[in-house]
Amino acid sequence: MTKSGHAEGYETLEVLINGRWRPGSSRHSEPVMNPATGEVLGHVPHVTGDDLDEALDASAQGFRAWSVRSALDRQSVLQAAAALMAERRDAIAKVLTLEMGKPLVEAGMEIDFAIATTRWYGEEGRRACGRLIPSRTPNTRHSVLKEPVGPAVAFVAWNFPATNVIRKVAGALAAGCSIIIKPSEETPGTCVAIARCFQDAGLPDGALNVVFGVPDTISRHLLASPIPKKVSFTGGVAVGKHLTRLAADTMKRCTMELGGHAPVIVAADCDLPSAVEACLAAKFRNAGQVCTSPTRFLVAKEIYTEFTNAFAEQASSLRVGNGLDETTQTGPLIAGRRIDWMEQLVEDAEANGARLITGGHRIDDVGSFFEPTVLCDITPDALAMTEEPFGPLALMVPVDTLDAALEEANRLPVGLAAYAFTTSQATVLRIQSDLNAGVVGINQTAVSLPEAPFGGVNETGWGSEGGIEGLETFLRTKFVNELVL
Ligand code: NAD
């Protein structure tokens, strides 16, 4: 432990309120654990109701100061923050791996994504253009103005401690909004490190505030206030619905990035080796703890055995371990509760007739490791086919026809990512139009880019992040009808 009470290489955990880094005022704090070793990395401070009131007032003042800056000026602060993130990239990536577990290479790529997203939003903030509508009568001017929506609040999950945070922080700031963010208490260090880059880049006090504590207490307090005009959440469906209900009392706008259960349609005409390679990498990235993780593999029966055998053979040879070890290919789950969930899903799937062809068990007593797992011939009765595993489980289903694959793909109330592997353009066109999904990957699995909209449909929520659509969610529209005198 260092003198500041945290593990070597880890971040000093503080809250940021009104431009000042400090401990929370509550007597409570909670330990942050390294999921690979069980080691305590540091203690995340909790805020009190008074701290939250201070953060709300600060966000109102921060909004007044930041929203009146020119778009060019705001861009230069975002670019400076991105430059600081780039300078501190390796140190932040290490913090991320220590608290979340993913391999250091993946953590570095996540910081690169955060840098690119900050740069992109910084540029796009200059294009928050309104428009002039041709006048109905002489001497009138019909103007449409785009304005920052107001102070925002955000809550985010632990699985992408940088990406989940930056999509909200950079989007809000680029539009001219202030923001209070409550990252996950399980992965607070990455957000603190990123927020330090923004503060050091010259943000006015109160434009960005970071708080930690008991999630439900914090969200109830912040959402009851009339100060925030917008709430943005990344997490599970149940919490998203709860926050949407709380937001309704003051009619805050919502962006809800919630859970998924991604189907993968593998057609008989696909390029099989490259489909296996792409699916495997995407499935076991971040140990499957990805909202877009390919989960239900709907494989044409003609190639089912070949595909599942090749996939399982490669899955069983993946090196599972501590993300700081450079030979590691897939890391731990965030905590022991996720291991219990994997065991429950595997046991239930087998009881419902699925065949476990590789994995299915926890690894070691130290850390939260679970084997890359492949379950074949799983039926819709199995819990895992309906509830999001959010872990290293690949569920294989043979399908007879494209219609059957599409029916199964669209069976669930959530719709985030969906994938298809095929060399037929006719199949691509059909899949593109018929899949209930917010993002679709064809013959590859990358569906998240700074300049592209990312978001789900149905119970996966509302709104997009990234792309011009992401900026739009932090803007409000005003129509001005002027008689020119
Ligand atoms: P969860 O909804 O229980 O918790 C997610 C986060 O929300 C936690 O880190 C917690 O700090 C916070 N939270 C919980 N209750 C809260 C409350 N009452 N008020 C404010 N914040 C609260 O979900 P989880 O199982 O821990 O996280 C994984 C889920 O997140 C999965 O369903 C996954 O698909 C989803 N997710 C979605 C996206 C997306 O972009 N659509 C991205 C990442 C994760």
Side-chain angles (χ1 to χ4, degrees):
M1 284 278 172
T2 63
K3 279 191 190 139
S4 343
H6 56 76
E8 205 59 56
Y10 194 58
E11 182 63 57
T12 305
L13 297 176
E14 296 172 298
V15 300
L16 172 65
I17 298 177
N18 203 15
R20 215 160 54 84
W21 287 102
R22 59 175 177 80
S25 304
S26 166
R27 283 180 290 113
H28 297 287
S29 64
E30 64 187 286
V32 180
M33 317 293 282
N34 180 336
T37 62
E39 172 201 15
V40 174
L41 296 167
H43 287 82
V44 61
H46 283 199
V47 291
T48 59
D50 287 347
D51 290 334
L52 291 174
D53 286 337
E54 203 188 316
L56 285 163
D57 288 343
S59 76
Q61 280 167 33
F63 178 69
R64 282 192 285 278
W66 182 241
S67 59
V68 296
R69 296 260 190 110
S70 74
L72 267 177
D73 190 11
R74 289 200 292 258
Q75 182 192 12
S76 70
V77 174
L78 265 72
Q79 299 301 354
L84 287 172
M85 265 186 268
E87 253 176 63
R88 302 173 192 175
R89 174 194 186 270
D90 293 349
I92 306 177
K94 185 169 179 192
V95 170
L96 199 162
T97 291
L98 281 170
E99 65 186 9
M100 204 272 131
K102 67 182 64 176
L104 204 46
V105 174
E106 280 184 35
M109 286 163 63
E110 192 175 335
I111 305 305
D112 291 339
F113 182 88
I115 295 164
T117 299
T118 305
R119 289 192 175 130
W120 191 85
Y121 267 126
E123 288 163 15
E124 201 56 22
R126 293 175 58 191
R127 287 184 277 275
C129 304
R131 67 187 191 278
L132 275 183
I133 297 173
S135 299
R136 283 182 158 236
T137 50
N139 298 332
T140 57
R141 192 158 44 208
H142 306 321
S143 314
V144 179
L145 309 181
K146 291 288 179 183
E147 302 173 332
V149 68
V153 292
F155 310 97
V156 295
W158 41 267
N159 65 331
F160 281 87
T163 301
N164 292 345
V165 163
I166 207 68
R167 281 186 164 143
K168 302 191 189 307
V169 168
L173 294 175
C177 298
S178 58
I179 183 164
I180 303 174
I181 187 158
K182 190 207 77 62
S184 167
E185 285 68 25
E186 288 179 306
T187 56
T190 307
C191 179
V192 168
I194 288 175
R196 290 191 199 283
C197 296
F198 280 88
Q199 274 317 109
D200 295 349
L203 263 191
D205 291 349
L208 170 62
N209 304 276
V210 181
V211 296
F212 300 105
V214 177
D216 195 46
T217 309
I218 294 186
S219 56
R220 281 181 193 277
H221 194 111
L222 295 178
L223 294 182
S225 163
I227 293 173
K229 305 298 179 216
K230 156 102 196 168
V231 54
S232 186
F233 174 64
T234 297
V237 173
V239 175
K241 288 179 180 175
H242 168 65
L243 296 180
T244 304
R245 286 185 201 107
L246 292 179
D249 283 340
T250 46
M251 284 308 279
K252 296 186 203 314
R253 292 225 223 146
C254 297
T255 294
M256 291 288 149
E257 298 285 354
L258 311 178
H261 200 301
V264 188
I265 297 177
V266 187
D269 59 17
C270 75
D271 175 345
L272 198 132
S274 69
V276 171
E277 192 186 343
C279 290
L280 192 92
K283 177 67 258 180
F284 298 109
R285 172 179 171 229
N286 204 12
Q289 301 166 111
V290 182
C291 52
T292 55
S293 187
T295 297
R296 285 170 294 152
F297 292 85
L298 314 174
V299 187
K301 68 175 187 317
E302 299 90 326
I303 58 162
Y304 181 72
T305 305
E306 197 183 348
F307 181 88
T308 52
N309 286 347
F311 188 97
E313 191 187 318
Q314 293 181 38
S316 64
S317 63
L318 286 171
R319 286 185 298 278
V320 183
N322 187 325
L324 291 182
D325 177 344
E326 56 188 36
T327 64
T328 290
Q329 291 173 297
T330 183
L333 304 192
I334 188 69
R337 67 175 186 283
R338 309 278 338 156
I339 302 283
D340 298 342
W341 179 232
M342 294 308 115
E343 285 181 337
Q344 186 185 336
L345 292 180
V346 170
E347 194 182 314
D348 171 85
E350 287 190 283
N352 277 289
R355 284 187 296 121
L356 178 66
I357 58 170
T358 189
H361 305 99
R362 69 175 66 213
I363 308 172
D364 300 337
D365 290 335
V366 179
S368 317
F369 294 100
F370 198 82
E371 292 170 339
T373 297
V374 181
L375 286 155
C376 276
D377 309 345
I378 190 163
T379 63
D381 299 329
L383 194 57
M385 286 291 281
T386 299
E387 299 292 328
E388 184 185 17
F390 215 58
L393 303 194
L395 315 176
M396 301 290 173
V397 182
V399 287
D400 290 332
T401 62
L402 181 56
D403 284 342
L406 282 165
E407 192 179 327
E408 168 54 32
N410 293 335
R411 179 177 55 87
L412 297 182
V414 289
L416 181 54
Y419 307 94
F421 289 83
T422 176
T423 49
S424 154
Q425 278 306 302
T427 307
V428 170
L429 286 179
R430 173 84 199 285
I431 280 170
Q432 217 168 266
S433 70
D434 288 9
L435 272 176
N436 261 324
V439 293
V440 178
I442 307 280
N443 294 325
Q444 56 83 46
T445 56
V447 285
S448 173
L449 307 170
E451 59 276 17
F454 179 87
V457 299
N458 302 340
E459 292 200 8
T460 295
W462 304 321
S464 299
E465 299 192 303
I468 52 175
E469 293 82 358
L471 187 73
E472 182 70 32
T473 66
F474 287 101
L475 296 170
R476 65 182 192 181
T477 304
K478 184 180 279 171
F479 172 56
V480 180
N481 199 7
E482 181 186 1
L483 177 62
V484 181
L485 300 177

